[in-house]
Amino acid sequence: MNLRQVKLVYCKELKDILRDRRTLRLMILVPVVLYPLMSIGISSLMMSMIKKQEGKAAPILVLGASSELRAALESSERKIELVPMDVFIATVEALDPEEYPARIHLDAWRADPYSGLSDSVQTRFYYACVKGRAADCILEIPPNLIGSAEDPDSLHARIFYDEQEFRSDAAESKVRAVLRDWRDTLSMTMLREAGMDDGAARRAFKPFWISNRDVAPAEKKTGFMLAMMLPYMIILMVMLGAMYPAIELTAGEKERGTLETILASPAGRTEITLGKFLCVFTAAIATVILGSFSMTFTSSLGMFQFGNEGSADVGTFNLAVNPSSLIVVVLLMLPTGALLSALLLSISVMARSFKEAQGYITPLMFLVIIPSMIAFMPGIELTAGLAWVPVANIALGVKAAMLTAKGEAFPWAVLGMVFLSTMIYASFALFLVRQMFNKESVLFRT
Amino acid sequence: MIEVRALTKSFRDKKRGTFRAVDELSFDCPGGPVFGLLGLNGAGKTTTLRVLATMLKPDSGTAKLAGFDLLDDPESVRRKIGFLTGNTGLYLRLTGREILHYFGQLEGMTRKAVDARITIFSQLLDMESFLDTRVDKYSTGMKQKVSIARTLIHDPPVLILDEPTLGLDVVTSRAIVEFIRAAKTDGKAVIFSTHHMHEAARLCDTIGVIHEGRMKRLATLADLKREYATEDLDTIFLRIIADGRP
Ligand SMILES: Nc1ncnc2c1ncn2[C@@H]1O[C@H](COP(=O)(O)OP(=O)(O)OP(=O)(O)O)[C@@H](O)[C@H]1O
Ligand SMILES: [Mg+2]
């Protein structure tokens, strides 16, 4: 082994790919610029959409409500606007029958809005009404809703909405909230009318509150989301970062006719292989490091929003990651980067051109990305057996490391096994690349 | 300086099965003279030259270049050869100087030694103005000059050239012809293949015509001209291929 040659090849290849815009774009631009921009963009877009919907009056059609309920809806600070029946009908009438075939049921509906249509037809009709913007949702109050002697279980105020439609979903929440408040008031009134004094009524109505507190340590909470996403993200980033260099250094050389020149030079095949491999490996690791920094930074800005508004765990991602977890993850990334770089090289060296190599790499992408998704599955933990399943072991290893809170011991035994097995696979893949670089039928494929 | 002995190389492909692209080829090329390898498309010229450059391993037979056997010591052989083909590319994102440094250092030269050689070539080939520009901005002629310098950077005693003027215009081709002539004057052994008979006629001392992997005729240019009673190498070549007698 001539280390000087390895170093020469490595330095030259590194210089070469660092001047390649395509490579740089994937290595730097995607993780460092595009990724934060996307998450910032998406979350701020979501926020502004929510804000906008909240601030806008939601047009709703109310069927059969008492004047008190109407007043409660109209005066609500949640901004609800009641659509007059004639306006509603006029809008539905004006709908294009081609686009909204359910419009034809308007007459039957007008004749009897409660039961003029069968359930399935009613669903389609209201869908058309919401889509056609006659109203964002429809609230149906049966005439006997209040004060009837019927079994309360059969009494329903119904809201028709389209959850896929953002404005309709927002209108539904508003109406539901007002309706709930109104029902609470009603309960209180009824209790008072039944002769209870205020205190007793309140106690009878709501004898106690239920509150809860999540006691998981902060690292666990953060770790959980991050631990699911990170393995997939990291493996994807390694693949993206290493892909172009791997192609460029093999098929790219064939395509441009530089391969013969290097083969006719005194550089040995092993030295060439190693130099190229180290260069691709560097690109892979650099991408991971850049990407991790960028993800950490983006997350620390609180750009990840999880949970529903109104649910207890509206969370911004507080980045309480255990620092030693990150070190373990980086350690795991070393054999991973080596394995994926060698795999990419061994596949792209077979191609005759850049295009062809890209075609070969696409299936490899799937082969690698899919097992990395194992970390998304709850309940699957790293075991001694799984530690030998390539790629999946890394995903689970990263997840296990991320879920280890400060002060807890890492599962060193299995993590060590992941490291070891990946190293073995990586050496095997590297050996494969070297064999390829010695094969005439691979280098001079016609 | 080049001694080829019963060199054989087979390939396998779907249509033809296993076939000999080079079939028991033997010839010599001492230092000084230029050896021209002529033959139709697919005759086996490129394969022969690739075997000589140790890129392909022969199935049987061997060759000695500058005293080293290509089976026993391929690395030493590679140190002694300069290899250039019409399809040889350059690294587009490096400058001419960086490329010369890369190959010079791979040959085992020190940075300083490479620098000294670059100074000589940049004057000789008039490359100063573009040597520090990236290759993707070069014209074909500029690339060819850097390629020539790259081939000669370590002053190899043997030059292996496969259709070096492929796709070049008259002016650039002439630069290559001059470069071969200069190498000959320097006492280097040159073996080159071409489809341009006038080039071969101008440069070669010895001509080898190969056909279907076999050496059909091996003679000095002067002998061939005498034998076929013509100055025109085109005619001579066609007659040899057609197996015609003088
Ligand atoms: N890597 C390879 N695999 C299979 N067959 C090959 C390979 N390289 C060359 N051949 C075949 O070997 C024969 C000799 O090819 P070669 O390239 O040596 O011819 P050539 O004399 O250089 O032709 P040309 O004048 O077209 O360059 C041809 O039939 C070619 O198809
Ligand atoms: Mg050829």
Side-chain angles (χ1 to χ4, degrees):
Chain A
M1 173 95 58
N2 184 331
L3 286 180
R4 180 170 178 268
Q5 285 181 352
V6 175
K7 192 180 144 215
L8 278 169
V9 174
Y10 173 72
C11 293
K12 178 258 152 194
E13 301 294 17
L14 203 60
K15 196 190 292 178
D16 202 341
I17 62 158
L18 283 177
R19 289 182 191 172
D20 180 25
R21 280 209 204 97
R22 266 187 305 199
T23 305
L24 286 189
R25 217 174 291 153
L26 274 183
M27 222 171 87
I28 297 174
L29 218 66
V30 171
V32 176
V33 181
L34 208 64
Y35 176 75
L37 273 187
M38 247 169 55
S39 44
I40 291 172
I42 289 174
S43 57
S44 61
L45 193 75
M46 290 288 283
M47 289 307 269
S48 75
M49 267 167 70
I50 292 171
K51 284 261 152 59
K52 216 167 125 201
Q53 272 314 324
E54 278 173 352
K56 246 190 0 210
I60 68 161
L61 178 76
V62 182
L63 289 174
S66 64
S67 50
E68 293 134 66
L69 176 53
R70 283 175 177 273
L73 285 165
E74 255 173 337
S75 63
S76 158
E77 60 199 27
R78 289 174 202 270
K79 297 216 172 158
I80 292 173
E81 173 199 325
L82 302 187
V83 180
M85 185 56 100
D86 52 337
V87 174
F88 180 83
I89 290 170
T91 316
V92 178
E93 258 172 349
L95 291 179
D96 177 7
E98 292 268 304
E99 202 180 336
Y100 304 99
R103 195 199 78 103
I104 52 158
H105 304 296
L106 179 63
D107 288 336
W109 177 81
R110 271 174 85 174
D112 180 0
Y114 291 99
S115 46
L117 302 176
S118 72
D119 266 8
S120 65
V121 175
Q122 188 187 39
T123 309
R124 265 180 285 137
F125 176 69
Y126 281 147
Y127 179 66
C129 295
V130 172
K131 270 270 176 293
R133 290 177 180 273
D136 280 355
C137 70
I138 294 99
L139 171 62
E140 181 193 276
I141 307 286
N144 58 352
L145 184 68
I146 293 147
S148 110
E150 265 179 63
D151 177 8
D153 282 349
S154 66
L155 294 171
H156 284 270
R158 296 199 286 176
I159 306 171
F160 299 90
Y161 76 111
D162 174 2
E163 197 180 294
Q164 305 310 312
E165 192 78 60
F166 192 68
R167 61 186 163 83
S168 182
D169 193 35
E172 189 268 349
S173 320
K174 290 180 181 181
V175 172
R176 187 155 39 89
V178 175
L179 216 53
R180 206 182 273 147
D181 289 347
W182 187 68
R183 189 181 55 182
D184 289 354
T185 322
L186 212 64
S187 307
M188 286 295 288
T189 316
M190 284 160 95
L191 290 171
R192 267 190 227 110
E193 276 170 5
M196 283 194 187
D197 63 61
D198 258 20
R202 200 169 291 127
R203 266 195 304 279
F205 175 59
K206 216 174 249 174
F208 59 86
W209 292 79
I210 301 171
S211 52
N212 59 7
R213 185 188 295 166
D214 186 357
V215 295
E219 292 99 307
K220 290 267 185 192
K221 272 192 251 179
T222 320
F224 191 67
M225 273 324 284
L226 202 57
M228 295 220 309
M229 317 245 309
L230 200 67
Y232 167 76
M233 302 282 275
I234 283 186
I235 289 169
L236 187 69
M237 277 193 291
V238 173
M239 287 297 274
L240 288 181
M243 183 172 73
Y244 277 146
I247 301 178
E248 191 66 31
L249 265 45
T250 52
E253 286 223 45
K254 283 196 205 172
E255 191 172 331
R256 274 194 281 282
T258 49
L259 187 65
E260 283 191 48
T261 323
I262 185 82
L263 292 180
S265 82
R269 302 277 167 100
T270 309
E271 284 80 1
I272 298 173
T273 311
L274 214 57
K276 284 179 184 294
F277 164 75
L278 288 176
C279 174
V280 177
F281 177 68
T282 307
I285 295 299
T287 313
V288 171
I289 291 176
L290 285 174
S292 310
F293 269 122
S294 139
M295 268 169 62
T296 313
F297 179 70
T298 315
S299 317
S300 68
L301 290 179
M303 289 312 165
F304 281 106
Q305 300 272 345
F306 294 110
N308 271 327
E309 194 206 359
S311 75
D313 55 352
V314 190
T316 48
F317 219 23
N318 63 327
L319 207 86
V321 175
N322 180 358
S324 8
S325 291
L326 281 181
I327 294 172
V328 174
V329 170
V330 170
L331 277 177
L332 281 175
M333 275 354 270
L334 295 176
T336 309
L339 173 64
L340 297 182
S341 302
L343 278 180
L344 283 167
L345 272 174
S346 66
I347 283 193
S348 49
V349 71
M350 286 191 281
R352 279 160 298 195
S353 66
F354 206 96
K355 266 248 154 64
E356 199 183 331
Q358 279 181 306
Y360 291 171
I361 282 180
T362 313
L364 180 71
M365 251 336 185
F366 282 105
L367 230 68
V368 169
I369 294 301
I370 289 171
S372 78
M373 290 182 180
I374 196 170
F376 286 124
M377 288 190 247
I380 298 190
E381 285 191 14
L382 189 60
T383 59
L386 281 173
W388 290 89
V389 180
V391 183
N393 62 356
I394 297 152
L396 292 174
V398 170
K399 188 178 176 182
M402 292 303 293
L403 286 179
T404 306
K406 213 180 285 179
E408 272 178 8
F410 284 95
W412 287 121
V414 265
L415 285 179
M417 250 191 269
V418 173
F419 192 88
L420 186 73
S421 64
T422 309
M423 282 286 261
I424 292 173
Y425 296 137
S427 330
F428 185 75
L430 186 57
F431 177 74
L432 196 72
V433 180
R434 208 202 72 114
Q435 292 306 98
M436 297 277 206
F437 255 96
N438 269 317
K439 256 181 109 102
E440 292 172 2
S441 55
V442 168
L443 294 185
F444 298 99
R445 243 182 88 201
T446 45
Chain B
M1 239 186 295
I2 306 174
E3 300 162 29
V4 181
R5 294 291 169 263
L7 208 62
T8 301
K9 177 74 191 174
S10 304
F11 289 121
R12 205 170 304 145
D13 75 16
K14 276 184 215 111
K15 257 182 278 159
R16 290 173 286 187
T18 305
F19 66 96
R20 290 187 168 186
V22 175
D23 196 358
E24 308 241 343
L25 218 56
S26 300
F27 59 88
D28 283 351
C29 172
V34 175
F35 186 97
L37 205 52
L38 306 184
L40 300 175
N41 290 136
K45 304 180 295 293
T46 299
T47 307
T48 306
L49 297 180
R50 280 181 177 167
V51 172
L52 292 183
T54 77
M55 258 177 255
L56 299 175
K57 279 204 178 64
D59 299 327
S60 63
T62 187
K64 259 192 180 155
L65 289 93
F68 295 102
D69 190 293
L70 57 78
L71 291 179
D72 299 340
D73 194 355
E75 198 187 321
S76 298
V77 170
R78 286 201 293 269
R79 280 186 199 289
K80 295 295 178 191
I81 60 171
F83 183 82
L84 178 67
T85 87
N87 298 316
T88 316
L90 295 170
Y91 297 108
L92 296 181
R93 288 182 292 270
L94 299 189
T95 68
R97 192 182 300 279
E98 286 167 339
I99 288 175
L100 295 179
H101 264 289
Y102 181 46
F103 284 102
Q105 288 181 273
L106 278 180
E107 294 291 347
M109 301 165 73
T110 61
R111 284 197 75 87
K112 251 187 155 160
V114 177
D115 276 329
R117 292 287 285 172
I118 291 177
T119 313
I120 296 175
F121 285 118
S122 84
Q123 276 166 12
L124 214 62
L125 298 169
D126 196 19
M127 301 195 295
E128 270 134 58
S129 58
F130 59 83
L131 214 45
D132 291 303
T133 314
R134 278 164 58 159
V135 172
D136 48 16
K137 305 244 160 45
Y138 285 12
S139 68
T140 311
M142 294 172 176
K143 281 185 195 157
Q144 208 56 37
K145 286 179 176 178
V146 173
S147 287
I148 292 174
R150 197 267 303 150
T151 313
L152 293 175
I153 192 83
H154 54 302
D155 199 15
V158 175
L159 292 182
I160 301 176
L161 313 171
D162 189 14
E163 296 190 49
T165 57
L166 183 77
L168 299 182
D169 68 17
V170 182
V171 178
T172 328
S173 299
R174 167 139 322 159
I176 297 277
V177 170
E178 287 311 316
F179 143 70
I180 295 175
R181 194 167 277 155
K184 177 179 166 178
T185 324
D186 279 355
K188 296 185 194 304
V190 180
I191 174 166
F192 87 110
S193 79
T194 183
H195 289 296
H196 300 301
M197 293 303 153
H198 60 98
E199 266 170 25
R202 223 189 290 156
L203 287 166
C204 297
D205 303 283
T206 314
I207 300 274
V209 176
I210 59 172
H211 192 61
E212 291 172 351
R214 292 186 150 272
M215 190 61 84
K216 190 106 179 190
R217 188 67 207 272
L218 180 66
T220 64
L221 184 60
D223 284 350
L224 287 175
K225 283 180 178 168
R226 214 171 306 121
E227 192 178 327
Y228 287 86
T230 173
E231 285 285 307
D232 184 24
L233 191 54
D234 259 329
T235 314
I236 297 173
F237 175 70
L238 286 173
R239 289 233 202 116
I240 294 174
I241 292 295
D243 218 357
R245 303 263 89 216

